Amino acid sequence: MPYLQPPRPHPHPTSRLSRASPPSPFPFFPAGTSRSGRLHPVPASGHSASRVSKGKFAVAAVTLDDYLPMRSTEVKNRTSTDGIKSLRLITAVKTPYLPDGRFDLEAYDSLINTQINGGAEGVIVGGTTGEGHLMSWDEHIMLIGHTVNCFGSNIKVIGNTGSNSTREAVHATEQGFAVGMHAALHVNPYYGKTSTEGLISHFKEVLPMGPTIIYNVPSRTSQDIPPPVIEALSCYSNMAGVKECVGHERVKCYTDKGITIWSGNDDECHDSRWKYGATGVISVASNLVPGLMHSLMFEGENAALNEKLLPLMKWLFCEPNPIGLNTALAQLGVVRPVFRLPYTPLPLEKRVEFVRIVEAIGRENFVGQKEARVLDDDDFVLISRY
């Protein structure tokens, strides 16, 4: 069975809503504040100057204000909404981990470079695929900022700053735009569902901040965003479009009215793009085969290529995403086989099936340089505290 990391002492509960974040160089969510906004006692501290010699202090090269995050209104026009609407291939990128559960930024940077070279035009950072729900907000905003700083001139960075709490969504989106993300992805409030008017009010609070993609995935939120909500929001200049997972007819309902749509289902994206008017896809499969997904979105109808990729797409979603993707990337040797719980790898028979799928599609079409291999259960590390 997979190696389960032994528990370590931890000063706070580790649930998403109560975990206190470790000290961070990003002053977005103050030390001692969890993602939910709950406060934990922390030592009082202020800004300190750096001592350079006995009795002397360095002269500041910039004023203190230069260290404060910009308000979203100062940077929201860095990328136009039309610049987001034109994107055809957006990858919901995987977040890789080190054996202790921290981000593996070296592997992450390699994944982003591979996406750029494979023709992806944008990445979703910290989405469902990227396990944003398993991150503290400090981690989340740091990863968005890191992606912008390293790759923002070559690919559009779309930060998943949505939440079922309007307050958290507003705060995180403000900070995401402050570190330079080009657009925000927003899901409707999940679990604690709201009314139609509540949905509209929730999205109206974040739309003024910058280009926004609304994400409709009822299989996860247990609530559909009905067309009247999207139509009511479509008049906002920052409304870039919708990542729609309901199906072709819903896609056509919107595209007939001039609303930009990205398919949220890899196995439907070819037909949504070429038969129902979708602009493109926000894809999981492009983590593995970015070049082929680029061809699928840019080079016209290609039923043969779509059929070739369908077994991979169906395999990826045989269990809830991102379980399949995490397993596949580990088998390709491009990320370590480390899982943040509650995710666990696919069983052995599925790992064997993946190697056969790679052989059928062609190893040269997949990311990484190593041969796909069947990992043993003991190769995987499962992390509960990080």
Side-chain angles (χ1 to χ4, degrees), residues 179-213:
V179 299
M181 70 182 184
H182 301 108
L185 180 74
H186 280 281
V187 72
N188 51 306
Y190 46 88
Y191 189 72
K193 297 179 290 186
T194 186
S195 63
T196 298
E197 282 304 311
L199 289 173
I200 293 172
S201 297
H202 175 83
F203 290 125
K204 279 183 175 180
E205 290 299 312
V206 295
L207 273 165
M209 297 182 186
T212 300
I213 297 173

Side-chain angles (χ1 to χ4, degrees), residues 68-220:
L68 299 177
M70 292 180 289
R71 302 290 290 184
S72 61
T73 52
E74 296 177 74
V75 296
K76 68 180 181 180
N77 293 320
R78 184 174 294 170
T79 294
S80 69
T81 304
D82 286 343
I84 300 300
K85 287 182 176 182
S86 65
L87 306 179
R88 292 188 185 178
L89 177 59
I90 301 171
T91 298
V93 71
K94 151 76 175 166
T95 306
Y97 305 115
L98 296 168
D100 62 3
R102 293 177 298 130
F103 294 163
D104 184 347
L105 291 180
E106 183 178 356
Y108 178 82
D109 290 353
S110 179
L111 289 176
I112 300 293
N113 271 318
T114 300
Q115 291 303 311
I116 293 169
N117 294 334
E121 300 169 293
V123 287
I124 304 291
V125 178
T128 306
T129 305
E131 300 178 21
H133 47 290
L134 303 186
M135 300 176 188
S136 70
W137 277 119
D138 277 345
E139 287 181 310
H140 207 140
I141 300 300
M142 181 280 286
L143 193 60
I144 292 171
H146 171 83
T147 311
V148 171
N149 290 337
C150 295
F151 307 101
S153 61
N154 295 314
I155 198 165
K156 299 300 183 188
V157 179
I158 302 161
N160 171 33
T161 53
S163 173
N164 59 351
S165 159
T166 304
R167 179 186 67 169
E168 284 194 8
V170 167
H171 194 179
T173 302
E174 192 170 67
Q175 304 311 324
F177 280 117
V179 299
M181 70 182 184
H182 301 108
L185 180 74
H186 280 281
V187 72
N188 51 306
Y190 46 88
Y191 189 72
K193 297 179 290 186
T194 186
S195 63
T196 298
E197 282 304 311
L199 289 173
I200 293 172
S201 297
H202 175 83
F203 290 125
K204 279 183 175 180
E205 290 299 312
V206 295
L207 273 165
M209 297 182 186
T212 300
I213 297 173
I214 292 176
Y215 181 17
N216 186 33
V217 56
S219 63
R220 289 189 181 270

Side-chain angles (χ1 to χ4, degrees), residues 19-31:
R19 179 171 64 249
S21 302
S24 167
F26 296 89
F28 309 125
F29 289 78

Side-chain angles (χ1 to χ4, degrees), residues 42-75:
V42 293
S45 63
H47 295 280
S48 59
S50 56
R51 190 180 295 272
V52 294
S53 64
K54 187 175 180 181
K56 304 248 181 155
F57 291 85
V59 177
V62 290
T63 65
L64 182 61
D65 286 345
D66 289 317
Y67 288 106
L68 299 177
M70 292 180 289
R71 302 290 290 184
S72 61
T73 52
E74 296 177 74
V75 296

